[in-house]
């Protein structure tokens, strides 16, 4: 498998359990006990995915996530305290791909990690697997194979989850997807989180691809149901 995972949490019991379960699945794991060490390991080990606790000494998870998102879109799974909805929303808004609330099952963490990395590996899908690899609509171009999105020829930085959401909607123009359907299709397993996760990702996506996120042209809200892509491909 060979993917590298970084787990950052100031609770050594959590990092030890996460390491044990992830290594059992074939992942290479490094751990950090505080925010400064997490930044150092991110820079030196270039992990394929980061499991990041929000509350750590020296630098908290929000600060770390923000710094990472300035330069790359490595997937991030946030660890938050149970019931702290505002923490989860802030983590997602800053670019986290997923979250788990403490206490959590390490098996659940493994499922989340597998699902996200599986989506990343779809870049290697052969041309015969997808009928269309590049979607173009006016100013917008979505390349499935390269996992690139352009607006007027300018590359747009999207996280793994943001790209998957956009591709799902744009490859089915006019089709309405409920938030629950999007959770199921994109997270790729039985997901127990609330659908606010989808709402936050859609908002971030609109801010990146729409000229006016408050009056979106591409991703339309279908009130009481979910979302759809307004244009056809060319």
């Amino acid at each position: 498998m060979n993917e590298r995972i970084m787990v950052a949490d100031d609770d050594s019991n959590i990092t030890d359990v996460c390491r044990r379960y992830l290594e059992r699945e074939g992942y290479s794991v490094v751990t950090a006990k505080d925010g400064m060490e997490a930044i150092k390991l991110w820079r030196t080990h270039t992990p394929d995915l980061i499991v990041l606790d929000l509350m750590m000494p020296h630098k908290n998870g929000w600060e770390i996530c923000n710094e990472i998102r300035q330069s790359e879109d490595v997937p991030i799974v946030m660890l938050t305290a149970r019931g702290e909805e505002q923490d989860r929303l802030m983590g997602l808004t800053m670019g986290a791909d997923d979250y788990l609330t403490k206490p959590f099952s390490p098996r659940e963490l493994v499922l989340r990690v597998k699902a996200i990395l599986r989506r990343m590996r779809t870049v290697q899908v052969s041309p015969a697997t997808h009928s269309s690899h590049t979607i173009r609509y006016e100013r917008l171009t979505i390349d499935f194979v390269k996992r690139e999105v352009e607006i007027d020829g300018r590359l747009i930085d999207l996280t793994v989850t943001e790209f998957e959401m956009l591709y799902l909607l744009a490859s089915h123009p006019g089709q309405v997807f409920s938030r629950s359907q999007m959770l199921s299709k994109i997270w790729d397993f039985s997901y127990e989180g609330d659908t606010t996760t989808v709402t936050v990702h859609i908002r971030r996506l609109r801010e990146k691809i729409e000229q006016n996120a408050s009056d979106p042209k591409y991703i339309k809200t279908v009130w009481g149901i979910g979302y759809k892509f307004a244009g056809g491909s060319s």
Side-chain angles (χ1 to χ4, degrees):
M1 193 171 289
N2 297 324
E3 283 110 336
R4 295 179 299 276
I5 311 294
M6 182 180 81
V7 180
D9 196 300
D10 59 340
D11 186 331
S12 60
N13 291 324
I14 290 178
T15 55
D16 289 346
V17 169
C18 291
R19 177 200 289 273
R20 188 162 62 250
Y21 273 77
L22 290 166
E23 287 182 341
R24 187 181 300 168
E25 296 296 323
Y27 298 109
S28 173
V29 181
V30 294
T31 62
K33 63 181 180 297
D34 59 52
M36 294 301 293
E37 187 177 11
I39 290 293
K40 180 180 179 180
L41 288 178
W42 161 60
R43 290 172 174 162
T44 57
H45 285 72
T46 58
D48 297 294
L49 184 143
I50 296 172
V51 179
L52 183 63
D53 183 36
L54 278 182
M55 303 306 295
M56 287 188 295
H58 307 308
K59 273 183 179 287
N60 63 40
W62 294 301
E63 293 173 310
I64 297 167
C65 184
N66 184 58
E67 185 168 343
I68 291 172
R69 284 290 175 259
Q70 299 303 313
S71 60
E72 67 170 292
D73 61 356
V74 57
I76 296 173
V77 178
M78 285 282 199
L79 303 179
T80 70
R82 181 176 295 279
E84 297 298 330
E85 181 180 8
Q86 191 57 42
D87 288 350
R88 297 197 297 272
L89 293 180
M90 185 177 293
L92 292 170
T93 299
M94 297 186 75
D97 292 271
D98 203 350
Y99 69 86
L100 280 171
T101 55
K102 296 180 178 180
F104 60 88
S105 162
R107 293 185 180 88
E108 178 77 358
L109 173 64
V110 170
L111 285 175
R112 302 291 179 96
V113 168
K114 282 185 174 181
I116 292 174
L117 292 177
R118 184 161 52 243
R119 297 203 305 270
M120 291 186 66
R121 289 194 295 270
T122 58
V123 69
Q124 301 170 358
V125 172
S126 66
T129 306
H130 286 264
S131 58
S132 176
H133 294 287
T134 302
I135 296 171
R136 296 182 178 88
Y137 182 70
E138 297 185 354
R139 303 169 52 245
L140 177 67
T141 302
I142 307 166
D143 189 318
F144 176 81
V145 173
K146 294 181 179 179
R147 299 187 74 84
E148 291 180 348
V149 174
E150 295 181 358
I151 297 287
D152 293 331
R154 177 174 58 90
L155 281 175
I156 306 298
D157 290 328
L158 300 182
T159 66
V160 173
T161 304
E162 289 164 356
F163 181 89
E164 291 295 328
M165 282 189 162
L166 178 58
Y167 191 84
L168 172 66
L169 292 169
S171 60
H172 299 84
Q175 180 175 336
V176 180
F177 288 90
S178 71
R179 292 171 180 82
S180 295
Q181 284 177 316
M182 294 183 74
L183 281 172
S184 175
K185 289 179 177 294
I186 293 172
W187 270 255
D188 197 26
F189 60 92
S190 179
Y191 185 80
E192 297 178 356
D194 62 68
T195 57
T196 306
T197 303
V198 173
T199 305
V200 175
H201 281 298
I202 289 291
R203 184 169 70 232
R204 281 181 51 84
L205 188 53
R206 282 172 169 163
E207 290 171 352
K208 292 182 178 183
I209 70 169
E210 303 278 4
Q211 285 185 309
N212 182 357
S214 300
D215 184 22
K217 179 177 183 179
Y218 300 118
I219 301 176
K220 297 287 188 179
T221 298
V222 181
W223 296 108
I225 304 177
Y227 304 97
K228 69 176 181 179
F229 188 79
S233 60
S234 60

